[in-house]
Amino acid sequence: MVDYSLNDFDINILGSFYEKDKTIFRVFAPETKKLSLVINNKEYLMHQRDYYFEIGLGGNLEGIKYYYLDEDGVSFKDPFAYYSDEKYSYVLDPSKFISEKLNPGKLKDIVIYETSVRDFSCDESYPGKYKRKFLALTEKGLKIGEKAVGLDYLKQIGITHLQLMPVLDFDLDKADYNWGYNPLAFNYVKKDYVVEDNNPYAYINELRKTVNVLHENGIRVNLDVVFNHVYNNVKCDLDKMLKGHFLRTMSDGSLAAGSLCGNEIKSEDPFVREYLVEMTRRYIRLFDIDGIRIDQMGILDYETVNKIDEETKKIKRDFIVYGEGWNMGDVLSEEKRAAIINADKMLGVAMFNDYYRDVIINYISGNDAIRNDVKNALSGNCNHMNYSQSINYVECHDNNTFFDRMIRYKHEDPIWVNVRRCKLALALVMVSRGLAFIHSGQEFLRTKNLVENSYNADETINKIDWNRRVENDEFCKYFMELSQIRKQNPVFISSNTDVRFEDYYDCIIYRLDDMMIIINPCKWDHTYQDGNNYHVIFDINGKADYNSDILSIPAYSLIICRP
């Protein structure tokens, strides 16, 4: 195979470039000997220049459908096209993309809220008109009774970032529903989420409008991207174009499959690295997003992830890159992986802290023997990471919701105890040092009917039931007030915070500068007194404003106060 380097191509000149009187098409295909552009069943032989193929056609080609055909009769769509369908890529005029930008305001904290475009609005309880579409996230004024739902609810609870589960094109894998971790392309969004799905420009503009409306409401937007594998390598346009450079192989020539999905993207390849970086830059240019979550990030090499982080921060200073730093892969050596074990090589990149997750879940479930682990988790400096890299969570789209977990594994306890545990788990995520991560509906006891892995379950399992938001309004208010406390108190994210811990009977006292948090994870109520008078700002009921020299910490709760 050709051994090319970064100097052998320019990622910025690839794709179709439209002007009213001509369009230029360029392809990087280093292993190809002959390439044609096909329009309306007519082949146009492209000119080869080193590893490039290029052709210019006169006339106004806006909206024209095309694909490429190589010397072996293999056809592929353009991996740089702004829109493609199952067979063709389309020439589009970028001047017709929405370019307006709206400022979401100053970023004081990071609270990431994960949702699926489909889950968010598919249930009959959702009162808007754009069910299952991007534009559902733009619908203002929606209520059930007197309670805000939809966009207004997101604004109300005070999240800083809305993370959308995969929206780039994916395969449903023979099911009626899928989370989206079966990527078909990286350069255009899924048809199912677009209202005007017969209008190629809507694939860009509807998502851009959605981001603009969220920004207008003070909410940033992150995209969940699947850069670790492709759903079907045989049909993959990038693999057809690069012929052996796109996917990793074993020594016997078979595909590496450390992703557990049949293949691994070869992120360390010079062109593949630049492609992933450029696609991320494009998401900022087209959609004005504010961050990306990289699925199975440990499959990628850390140099690629660092470059994504560096290049995106040149465009947006507060852009965040984070992902699953699991130690995975069949080919890439461990020391090169974008995994948690190499967190010290990726200081600008955050990672889901599975140590935090497991420790907090076990602690709240009754394991008091892991207090030191709990202290490490709360401090954020654990599991190879410093606090600024730690995504703190107890629930995400994977596995049981926290409520279902408690119902399944602590079913012998009264429901009020398990609800209290859910409340305490949410509170601990919000008062831990690092980046807070919440699964949509977690704050109103979301259930998936005990289904642990709902990736291809139907909407009745994965839906957001907005009636639960109404029924658990006090829980939602509790979360909203925790969000306010985080924004008002930089101790959770400041590098200068003095963090200290003490044991107090069954409780842990957690001090952040002059703030004192007392955590009671057990079934007995506790009181605390040390001769001082404290100003309580948060207790089991939420936001508080009272002074006391005897602090009450009911079972499965925490209290936040200052001298």
Side-chain angles (χ1 to χ4, degrees):
M1 287 202 305
V2 171
D3 184 19
Y4 55 78
S5 71
L6 190 61
N7 296 323
D8 290 320
F9 62 89
D10 180 355
I11 205 81
N12 298 302
I13 66 170
L14 300 175
S16 64
F17 295 84
Y18 168 82
E19 296 178 28
K20 286 187 176 181
D21 58 351
K22 66 177 179 180
T23 299
I24 294 178
F25 302 82
R26 292 193 194 91
V27 181
F28 180 76
E31 304 293 339
T32 297
K33 305 303 180 188
K34 177 183 175 184
L35 193 67
S36 296
L37 169 71
V38 182
I39 297 175
N40 293 329
N41 295 320
K42 182 177 180 179
E43 295 182 22
Y44 298 86
L45 184 64
M46 302 181 76
H47 310 292
Q48 185 172 11
R49 294 184 176 86
D50 298 323
Y51 302 137
Y52 291 101
F53 290 86
E54 176 182 319
I55 191 171
L57 297 181
N60 188 339
L61 299 185
E62 182 184 3
I64 206 74
K65 297 184 287 187
Y66 68 98
Y67 63 88
Y68 298 113
L69 186 68
D70 71 12
E71 71 273 17
D72 297 319
V74 175
S75 64
F76 58 92
K77 295 172 291 182
D78 188 347
F80 290 86
Y82 291 109
Y83 170 68
S84 298
D85 59 25
E86 291 184 3
K87 295 182 178 180
Y88 304 101
S89 295
Y90 288 65
V91 174
L92 299 185
D93 177 2
S95 71
K96 294 184 178 180
F97 301 159
I98 293 175
S99 59
E100 178 189 18
K101 289 186 179 182
L102 296 176
N103 187 348
K106 186 177 180 181
L107 186 63
K108 296 181 180 179
D109 186 28
I110 294 179
V111 178
I112 301 168
Y113 190 87
E114 178 190 44
T115 199
S116 154
V117 172
R118 185 168 176 177
D119 296 357
F120 186 82
S121 58
C122 68
D123 188 52
E124 61 182 14
S125 63
Y126 179 75
K129 67 178 181 178
Y130 293 120
K131 290 182 181 292
R132 304 173 182 84
K133 307 297 182 183
F134 290 127
L135 294 182
L137 292 160
T138 71
E139 297 187 274
K140 301 176 183 179
L142 299 182
K143 290 184 177 183
I144 296 178
E146 296 301 315
K147 305 301 180 185
V149 297
L151 170 64
D152 289 356
Y153 170 75
L154 297 181
K155 181 178 181 180
Q156 185 181 91
I157 58 177
I159 60 171
T160 64
H161 293 74
L162 183 67
Q163 177 192 299
L164 300 180
M165 288 170 65
V167 301
L168 299 166
D169 198 22
F170 61 85
D171 195 282
L172 290 175
D173 193 27
K174 303 179 181 67
D176 293 325
Y177 176 99
N178 200 284
W179 281 342
Y181 298 96
N182 299 319
L184 295 174
F186 306 100
N187 50 317
Y188 55 91
V189 303
K190 186 158 184 63
K191 178 179 182 178
D192 295 1
Y193 296 156
V194 179
V195 175
E196 290 187 60
D197 59 14
N198 62 343
N199 174 8
Y201 289 97
Y203 288 72
I204 293 98
N205 290 337
E206 288 189 18
L207 179 52
R208 179 57 175 263
K209 179 181 177 180
T210 300
V211 173
N212 280 352
V213 171
L214 287 161
H215 281 180
E216 184 181 30
N217 285 272
I219 300 170
R220 288 166 166 79
V221 179
N222 302 340
L223 295 187
D224 191 342
V225 296
V226 189
F227 286 168
N228 62 81
H229 78 284
V230 293
Y231 175 68
N232 187 329
N233 64 286
V234 175
K235 295 182 179 180
C236 175
D237 295 313
L238 278 162
D239 199 39
K240 292 178 184 179
M241 183 182 84
L242 294 176
K243 293 183 179 179
H245 294 276
F246 184 60
L247 299 174
R248 293 179 184 142
T249 54
M250 306 294 286
S251 58
D252 63 1
S254 63
L255 289 175
S259 65
L260 307 180
C261 299
N263 56 76
E264 301 175 21
I265 289 176
K266 192 177 181 181
S267 63
E268 67 276 17
D269 177 89
F271 182 86
V272 177
R273 174 178 292 157
E274 289 304 303
Y275 181 80
L276 298 178
V277 172
E278 173 55 23
M279 285 300 107
T280 310
R281 283 191 296 243
R282 178 186 282 194
Y283 306 151
I284 301 176
R285 292 195 303 266
L286 289 185
F287 309 124
D288 199 26
I289 64 163
D290 306 281
I292 59 167
R293 173 217 184 251
I294 303 177
D295 185 60
Q296 291 188 355
M297 188 173 71
I299 292 287
L300 280 67
D301 69 288
Y302 74 79
E303 288 187 33
T304 295
V305 175
N306 276 340
K307 186 160 188 180
I308 290 173
D309 181 56
E310 292 161 7
E311 292 298 315
T312 52
K313 282 184 169 61
K314 289 178 183 177
I315 305 172
K316 282 194 172 187
R317 186 176 60 183
D318 58 4
F319 193 89
I320 57 175
V321 175
Y322 59 101
E324 294 179 307
W326 319 142
N327 189 12
M328 302 177 70
D330 286 341
V331 175
L332 197 67
S333 60
E334 284 193 353
E335 65 270 15
K336 294 182 179 180
R337 295 174 186 169
I340 288 174
I341 57 172
N342 294 317
D344 62 336
K345 299 173 184 176
M346 300 180 287
L347 294 178
V349 177
M351 304 184 202
F352 285 88
N353 195 333
D354 55 338
Y355 169 88
Y356 177 99
R357 175 199 65 203
D358 295 344
V359 164
I360 298 300
I361 288 173
N362 280 300
Y363 181 58
I364 291 174
S365 298
N367 186 352
D368 188 53
I370 56 172
R371 285 194 185 201
N372 287 336
D373 289 304
V374 174
K375 295 169 187 176
N376 289 334
L378 294 171
S379 74
N381 295 316
C382 59
N383 197 19
H384 304 281
M385 293 179 275
N386 65 56
Y387 78 95
S388 67
Q389 295 175 287
S390 181
I391 302 278
N392 301 324
Y393 73 111
V394 294
E395 177 180 326
C396 67
H397 66 269
D398 284 318
N399 309 121
N400 284 128
T401 68
F402 197 87
F403 177 74
D404 283 354
R405 184 186 294 273
M406 292 300 102
I407 298 301
R408 167 174 281 182
Y409 297 110
K410 306 298 290 186
H411 55 82
E412 71 277 7
D413 292 329
I415 187 66
W416 72 266
V417 169
N418 284 324
V419 169
R420 283 261 189 106
R421 285 178 173 139
C422 292
K423 210 169 181 180
L424 179 57
L426 183 68
L428 289 180
V429 168
M430 294 299 283
V431 300
S432 296
R433 299 256 297 154
L435 290 68
F437 182 95
I438 308 297
H439 182 223
S440 54
Q442 179 181 340
E443 76 286 6
F444 49 80
L445 305 176
R446 182 175 181 175
T447 180
K448 294 185 180 181
N449 296 336
L450 302 182
V451 175
E452 185 172 12
N453 186 9
S454 65
Y455 77 98
N456 66 350
D458 59 30
E459 291 180 346
T460 62
I461 301 299
N462 285 288
K463 67 183 181 182
I464 295 291
D465 182 352
W466 289 99
N467 288 321
R468 290 181 76 87
R469 173 266 178 275
V470 177
E471 294 161 3
N472 295 287
D473 183 58
E474 288 302 311
F475 205 139
C476 300
K477 182 172 176 285
Y478 183 84
F479 173 61
M480 176 189 72
E481 291 169 349
L482 283 165
S483 297
Q484 292 170 352
I485 284 178
R486 277 192 69 102
K487 289 178 181 177
Q488 294 163 1
N489 294 276
V491 293
F492 302 107
I493 57 172
S494 171
S495 60
N496 298 318
T497 302
D498 181 22
V499 182
R500 307 180 309 283
F501 294 96
E502 304 164 32
D503 289 325
Y504 181 76
Y505 298 102
D506 298 302
C507 302
I508 290 177
I509 298 176
Y510 168 38
R511 298 182 187 272
L512 300 163
D513 291 344
D514 67 339
M515 178 183 286
M516 181 170 74
I517 303 171
I518 305 177
I519 304 162
N520 178 10
C522 71
K523 62 183 178 180
W524 297 283
D525 296 345
H526 276 279
T527 59
Y528 174 85
Q529 59 185 83
D530 61 7
N532 295 312
N533 195 49
Y534 289 92
H535 179 224
V536 178
I537 62 173
F538 193 86
D539 62 18
I540 192 170
N541 297 311
K543 187 176 180 180
D545 183 14
Y546 61 88
N547 296 319
S548 179
D549 58 356
I550 301 176
L551 302 176
S552 174
I553 315 101
Y556 310 108
S557 74
L558 59 72
I559 191 170
I560 306 175
C561 55
R562 280 196 166 96

